[in-house]
């Protein structure tokens, strides 16, 4: 797949996980005691994470533009 497709797919997945954290999916499902699931899903929402994911994708696009420049 293309870099653009992969990057956007990863960004959407990261946003999805953050949305689950925002709505406290861990508490809703009653799995607060499951350490592995808490690690995989995360335990709390952070706007800083959303910013970091977005800036990371912009960095990928910038690197690709430089890499593909003539």
């Amino acid at each position: 797949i293309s870099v653009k497709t992969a990057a956007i797919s990863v960004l959407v997945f990261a946003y999805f996980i953050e949305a689950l954290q925002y709505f406290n999916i861990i508490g809703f499902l009653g799995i607060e005691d499951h350490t592995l699931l808490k690690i995989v899903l995360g335990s709390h929402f952070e706007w800083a994470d959303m910013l970091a994911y977005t800036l990371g994708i912009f960095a990928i696009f910038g690197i690709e533009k430089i890499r593909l420049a003539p």
Side-chain angles (χ1 to χ4, degrees):
I1 65 173
S2 71
V3 171
K4 182 178 179 181
T5 300
I8 291 174
S9 297
V10 168
L11 183 62
V12 168
F13 178 74
Y15 284 173
F16 177 71
I17 295 296
E18 283 293 320
L20 291 177
Q21 292 172 2
Y22 180 79
F23 292 110
N24 191 23
I25 194 70
I26 297 288
F28 179 75
L29 296 175
I31 54 175
E32 296 95 348
D33 297 331
H34 295 275
T35 305
L36 180 61
L37 289 176
K38 283 177 69 175
I39 291 169
V40 171
L41 294 176
S43 58
H44 61 281
F45 175 82
E46 288 285 338
W47 281 110
D49 290 345
M50 300 288 277
L51 178 62
Y53 301 145
T54 304
L55 293 176
I57 294 304
F58 284 131
I60 294 295
F61 289 150
I63 291 167
E64 276 299 295
K65 186 173 183 176
I66 292 168
R67 190 179 74 83
L68 297 175

